[in-house]
Amino acid sequence: LKVVVVLVCEQAGLGGFAAMPSSGRPRVAFQVMDRAERLGLRALRREFGVYGEVLCACLRADSSRHPQSVEIEFAKKTTTQKVKDCWTGTSSDLPLYRPDELIDATKRDAGLPFLCYVDNFGPVANTFEDLAAFVSFVTDTCSATIYTSALCWSGSRGVYAQLQCFQKIDQERVISKVMNAVYSGQKLSCSSIIGGEYSGM
């Protein structure tokens, strides 16, 4: 029997969060250009916040920790479609190509095995560089292999990371060790999805 266990970061006064996204809204997906390592969540919120309320911004990296894509979720689907159809990047300094698709992140993430979600970063994580540094930290601290990773922001949750582990033993190591680690002065919390149900340590 699997149950939900919420991690509470007593030192920071922050709580853990359920792992599964639940909005069901489409996201605008952008491929990134070369030298996107310093692209950050705050820059994305500034750029796309002028179009409408941003609910979620996400930096996604590949198995080599290289920047891969960016996703933006808006409160209104009309805003999502407008950005997808009209944003060209010609007047922007963000290293992004023009978007060519909308994705259902909820459906995609529900089908990914061995996920871990890490919360309570506070201000210490923002860019692709920060994401790569954190994945290196997890790899070294937990002796775990990370397949893909993402650094995300939402208004209700703040900055959090999504880690797709290579196999179940890697996921178990991340869950058991991250909660005992202090990263850049932040005590983190971790939750995961195992067999489609929430669990945590």
Side-chain angles (χ1 to χ4, degrees):
L1 177 65
K2 299 182 178 68
V3 298
V4 179
V5 181
V6 178
L7 291 175
V8 178
C9 180
E10 296 178 352
Q11 186 178 35
L14 298 171
F17 294 82
M20 178 72 78
S22 60
S23 71
R25 294 181 178 87
R27 293 181 181 177
V28 188
F30 305 78
Q31 296 301 308
V32 299
M33 300 177 182
D34 293 337
R35 298 182 294 279
E37 289 80 6
R38 295 187 179 181
L39 177 59
L41 297 169
R42 289 190 285 271
L44 293 175
R45 290 165 58 193
R46 285 194 300 269
E47 174 78 18
F48 295 105
V50 300
Y51 291 90
E53 182 184 358
V54 175
L55 296 183
C56 183
C58 186
L59 310 173
R60 301 190 68 85
D62 62 19
S63 58
S64 299
R65 305 169 198 168
H66 296 148
Q68 185 177 52
S69 64
V70 161
E71 298 170 6
I72 304 293
E73 181 180 317
F74 293 95
K76 295 182 178 180
K77 292 183 179 180
T78 53
T79 307
T80 301
Q81 193 65 48
K82 179 180 178 181
V83 171
K84 188 261 181 185
D85 293 339
C86 302
W87 192 89
T88 64
T90 54
S91 60
S92 172
D93 60 357
L94 298 185
L96 300 176
Y97 292 106
R98 182 171 182 167
D100 57 4
E101 65 176 343
L102 301 179
I103 64 165
D104 184 338
T106 301
K107 182 177 180 180
R108 177 201 59 205
D109 294 348
L112 295 178
F114 312 127
L115 287 180
C116 295
Y117 289 78
V118 183
D119 287 275
N120 297 338
F121 281 96
V124 303
N126 176 54
T127 66
F128 275 113
E129 282 184 336
D130 297 333
L131 175 59
F134 177 67
V135 174
S136 295
F137 168 81
V138 169
T139 300
D140 295 340
T141 301
C142 305
S143 300
T145 302
I146 304 302
Y147 186 60
T148 62
S149 58
L151 188 67
C152 306
W153 171 90
S154 72
S156 61
R157 191 169 179 172
V159 176
Y160 62 97
Q162 180 200 69
L163 307 176
Q164 184 187 3
C165 301
F166 186 71
Q167 54 187 342
K168 184 176 181 180
I169 187 63
D170 296 314
Q171 183 189 47
E172 293 172 346
R173 287 169 179 165
V174 172
I175 297 170
S176 65
K177 293 185 178 181
V178 164
M179 67 173 294
N180 296 314
V182 176
Y183 181 73
S184 296
Q186 297 291 119
K187 185 171 176 58
L188 305 175
S189 66
C190 186
S191 56
S192 70
I193 300 173
I194 300 176
E197 300 179 12
Y198 298 127
S199 73
M201 296 184 66

